Amino acid sequence: MKKITVYLSAALVWTMVNAAYSQTKLVEKVTRQGKELVIPYEKYVLPNGLTLVVHEDHSDPIVHVDVTYHVGSAREEIGKSGFAHFFEHMMFQGSDHVADDEHFKIVTESGGTLNGSTNRDRTNYYETLPSNQLERALWLEADRMGFLLDAVTQKKFEIQRATVKNERGQNYDNRPYGLAGENVAKNLFPYGHPYSWLTIGYIEDLNRVNVNDLKNFFLRWYSPNNAVLTIGGDVNAKQVLALTEKYFGSIPRGPEVTKTQVPSPVLDKDRYVSYEDNVRFPMLQIVFPTVPTYHPDEAPLDALAEILGGGKNSLFYKNFVKAQLAVQANASHPATELAGQLAMTVLPFPDKRLDSTEALVRRTLAEFEKRGVTDDDIAQFTATREAQLIDGLSSVSGKVSQLAAFQTYLNNPNYLPQELKRYKAVTKADVMRVYNQYVKGKNAVILTVYPKGKPEIVAKPDNYTVSTAGYKAPDYGYNGLAYTKPKDTFERKTKPGPGPNPTLKVPPFWTDKLPNGLKVIGTKNDEIPTVTMLFSIKGGHLLSANDPAKAGIAQLTAALMNEATQHYSNEQLNTKLEKLGSSVDIRANTEEINVSVESLTRNLDSTLALVEEKLFRPKFAPEDFERLKKQQLELIANQGTQPVVIANKAYNKLIYGTDNIRSVPVSGTTKSVEAITLDDVKAFYAKYFSPSVTNLVIVGDIEQAAVLPKLTFLNKWAAKPVTVPTAAVTRKIDKTRIYLIDKEKAAQSEIRIGYLTDMPYDATGEYYKTGLANYMLGGAFNSRINMNLREDKGYTYGARSGFSSTHTPGPFTAQAGVKAAATDSSVVEFIKEMTNYSKAGITDQELAFVKSSLGQVDALRYETSLQKAYFLGRVIDYDLPRNFTEQQSEILRGITKAQIDAIAKKRLPINNMVITVVGNKELIKPGLERLGYELVELDKDGNPMAASTTTTAAPARAGSSKP
């Protein structure tokens, strides 16, 4: 690593407040020497305080732009929670020179993707685009940094407030255990501590906030001197600097921002707290306060969490999951800027009391004290962390995010070498020291989440109430803030055009076929020293069509293949893999069983030896079978508590029909899994695991000539004939009906609307063209459906539609989670948008947007090893020609409005669809009945309930939605 530091005079950097800026000079430049783990960059500071970090990476024709503001929920105060996250939403609602709802549209039509995120300590906004669109991204980000507030209207404010409430409903209130974090935070940290509430905030705070409060929050924190602009990709640092000075240089400096200082939480006793939730499994969570991120003790505490409950080698897994006392048990150590917490979480089976669970946790800690820390523990931990750090460098966005975080929190973008060093330096003594310092004999918050009507199972009665004593509201300096717009010497309202089109790099690939029929496809990717392999063994859950009474067997077989083999216990296998920094994971899905392999290139031989062991020598031990079968049955039972799962299961049953295996979840049913024996699993493996139906994708830092000799062990795999069932899938729907499933007291309703198509997947035919037609209906963020339900009405956090076929035809589905009170209105709006699109088709402007957006997005599709692997997987699975992407581009360029209109008319049969709604029947049924469709009530398994049909007047017409 070579590091050059240039110190700027204080007069240049720190005193030119709101004055004309001069040419910014280089502060620091870091380059890589050899293959050391370093992210090269140049760092600048503009006179207004904006920090610019530029990383050049010319491997792909893309650029990633990230603006990180050092403001999160930790800058909020009592009674005004959720401001930072709320403002994240407002920053997408237009500014002086960017019209309402244009931000997403501009980036998307430029072939890019974008989003924002908020956590306790920072808010960031980011775009990934083709590299010729860099100037447009900078223009957009600068406009909302310097020209936002006049565009913040009361109407936008109200719509985004509704959207944030919907987000809370979807991700917290309507999700099992969704409020656990909120309950821990308010009881772990003192009243008023900036971590004592979640980033999403409280509903009552969102209700009381007004638009002026929000504007003041922006003026206090969203200024260039509290921001880091990080840009990486196929760019030139000098060009980036010039554009940054042009668009950001005139934005005035804001109020000074200092680091928040708060005392660490001190607990005078174990705090027992609890709440009721609509869950099957109770939850016990024990949380100890620890240290902030980058603290010297963070790394050994991370190691402690890994040893206690980080995987299948951990003590928690052994004592709870393997002992069949819990469906899940783990430990983690999330640390953020002001504090950390060591959390131990157990989900025991429904028949367990939480006092016995707590007692076993404490016995497990005592076992750890006696056992101590082993050399293997440290070797596994350090190898795994090194692999994770390397994997984080696989994309430009990953490198940019890392640079931005290091600069924001440490003022040092070049912290990665130190990050690796501090994790490699962890010793056995360090881990025992932090255990004794932060856990042994220390007090914790002990949270019980208990199923409805079962408060008696809590670990102990609640013994703690939050006290407001001693709280003093902070003075964040909101008084006297003024909005001063930049003064420019150029016309900012002119949207920059793109630069020269970059050269698209579709991965060049090689193919091969082993003598036993196994097909191989691969490409070299030397950006990081890793190899990704994806085995796809065809059949999966579809093979249960041969014996539907044993549905779920593919998932159970895959789970058993992740356990012990004939030569190694599961613990021995995981020890070997983790010491290599590798992973081998086997999972079943509807159409295949996938084996995913990740390895550092230097450890590929050792990793493949373990792949061979797992693939060809599974032990299928009776004790593993009984445990995994029990877990699968419990998880099936648990699905009845999750609205999203309930909706998907019922919808699939209605779409495919009960005689189609696709109407049964991959996990199977209680009845079918109970019927599976260990001999059934062995027979399934013996009959259906064959190289003749297996594809292998290889992407990584290795040549074809070097990797093929390493695969000779696969030649021993004997081929056998396997026929994957192709059940008839065309199920006719005679008329549109509403199917209602009750989810008592649900904060939101889950809606699925659609039908089963007659189109299998194709890359260049009708299916591909139909996907183009759907893009403006429900495929893009600024599609008609999403703009209506989310941005215009505030009914949902997000709504979409799409076609999803594979080798056999799949469904068209429009879907959303919506606030309960707007359930019937949302159904009307969905139908209205589909009806209008079917009748009137696409507009010329929309068609131009589709062509612009999808015509450039390929630049983003092949960057990482995993992206390349999925691309090649599709090529080999569907036997696509090498130039299929060129054929798609030609189709896209030539498709006409008349063609899109004809597709929309043909593919949106409004009168022959299934409408599935899962929600609080007491609240939503009357409104749904007024829509005029036949209404059929189903139970949570998707079966009709006796005497449930309601028929009313003619269906509501498009546009008749009620507020």
Side-chain angles (χ1 to χ4, degrees), residues 88-94 98-117 125-127 129 136 140 144 160 775 780-783 786-787 790-791 797 849 853:
E88 178 206 319
H89 282 251
M90 295 304 301
M91 290 277 273
F92 288 98
Q93 300 309 304
V98 181
D100 298 358
D101 302 319
E102 283 287 297
H103 204 108
F104 270 95
K105 181 179 179 181
I106 289 170
V107 172
T108 308
E109 75 178 355
S110 301
T113 62
L114 73 160
N115 214 325
S117 69
Y125 303 88
Y126 50 91
E127 299 90 8
L129 306 100
R136 186 169 290 182
L140 284 166
R144 59 182 173 187
Q160 291 310 309
Y775 194 65
F781 178 89
N782 54 307
S783 67
N786 193 58
M787 293 304 291
R790 172 178 162 140
E791 298 300 302
Y797 182 48
F849 172 84
S853 174

Side-chain angles (χ1 to χ4, degrees), residues 66-80:
D66 178 290
V67 181
T68 296
Y69 295 89
H70 199 170
V71 55
S73 57
R75 304 285 192 184
E76 297 163 356
E77 55 191 299
I78 289 290
K80 294 183 178 180

Side-chain angles (χ1 to χ4, degrees), residues 606-668:
S606 299
T607 302
L608 288 177
L610 299 175
V611 172
E612 178 180 3
E613 185 73 18
K614 280 178 168 281
L615 274 180
F616 302 146
R617 289 183 282 275
K619 188 175 183 179
F620 294 134
E623 60 272 21
D624 289 338
F625 171 77
E626 292 300 330
R627 171 170 47 83
L628 293 173
K629 179 177 175 178
K630 180 179 179 181
Q631 287 182 7
Q632 192 160 324
L633 287 167
E634 288 291 346
L635 292 171
I636 291 168
N638 186 52
Q639 292 169 357
T641 68
Q642 302 172 51
V644 171
V645 179
I646 294 170
N648 290 340
K649 284 175 63 176
Y651 179 71
N652 284 339
K653 186 175 287 190
L654 292 165
I655 288 291
Y656 288 107
T658 55
D659 58 345
N660 191 315
I661 195 62
R662 290 178 183 270
S663 70
V664 180
V666 176
S667 57

Side-chain angles (χ1 to χ4, degrees), residues 365-433:
L365 294 178
E367 179 185 350
F368 168 73
E369 288 184 49
K370 184 177 180 180
R371 166 194 181 275
V373 182
T374 68
D375 291 333
D376 276 348
D377 289 335
I378 298 300
Q380 290 167 236
F381 173 72
T382 54
T384 299
R385 283 305 166 109
E386 180 183 11
Q388 289 171 348
L389 286 171
I390 291 172
D391 187 61
L393 308 181
S394 63
S395 66
V396 171
S397 64
K399 289 182 282 188
V400 165
S401 297
Q402 198 71 275
L403 290 169
F406 289 151
Q407 172 60 36
T408 298
Y409 300 128
L410 300 169
N411 195 33
N412 176 18
N414 191 38
Y415 189 75
L416 185 60
Q418 182 63 29
E419 181 85 335
L420 180 61
K421 181 179 178 181
R422 71 181 179 124
Y423 279 98
K424 281 190 168 183
V426 172
T427 66
K428 294 187 289 185
D430 288 332
V431 178
M432 291 308 302
R433 175 181 57 78

